[in-house]
Amino acid sequence: MTYVIAVPCVDLKDRACVDECPVDCIYEGDRMLYVNPDECIDCGACEPICPAEAIFYEDDLPPQWKAYQAVNAEFFDELGTPGGAARVGPLPRDHALVAALAPQQAP
């Protein structure tokens, strides 16, 4: 089990969760942040700090955002498990589903 970042993060990328994560498992794409499911330790530190309320425990994902469990995992298909976001920095790409979204407005 792991935490998942969903559509409210798209085009917002507040990064408070990145600062809060004790294992550096939240990576930055072009338009949103992604949790590496192989590095996440399920501590939950990221969820309450997210101002967009975009982070969910995978079992608690709202039905309309269930696809984001796969989106977060598939983002790492080529990257693998590098051992921390700080090692790789921002990545110049997004999952295809995220890249295809219309621009999102901040709430």
Side-chain angles (χ1 to χ4, degrees):
M1 300 307 225
T2 189
Y3 281 82
V4 175
I5 298 177
V7 75
C9 182
V10 175
D11 296 326
L12 176 64
K13 296 192 319 185
D14 176 79
R15 297 184 48 82
C17 58
V18 173
D19 296 335
E20 196 69 25
C21 180
V23 294
D24 195 29
C25 73
I26 301 173
Y27 291 70
E28 183 176 350
D30 274 338
R31 296 183 63 196
M32 75 172 265
L33 304 170
Y34 300 84
V35 174
N36 187 316
D38 293 329
E39 295 176 357
C40 179
I41 60 170
D42 302 330
C43 70
C46 58
E47 185 179 20
I49 200 81
C50 178
E53 297 181 358
I55 302 174
F56 301 88
Y57 190 65
E58 70 182 75
D59 288 344
D60 298 331
L61 267 167
Q64 70 270 27
W65 296 330
K66 285 287 186 189
Y68 281 82
Q69 183 174 352
V71 164
N72 278 251
E74 291 168 5
F75 183 77
F76 298 97
D77 282 353
E78 291 180 30
L79 184 62
T81 307
R87 290 182 175 187
V88 297
L91 298 164
R93 63 182 176 84
D94 279 299
H95 185 278
L97 185 132
V98 173
L101 288 172
Q104 306 292 303
Q105 299 297 318

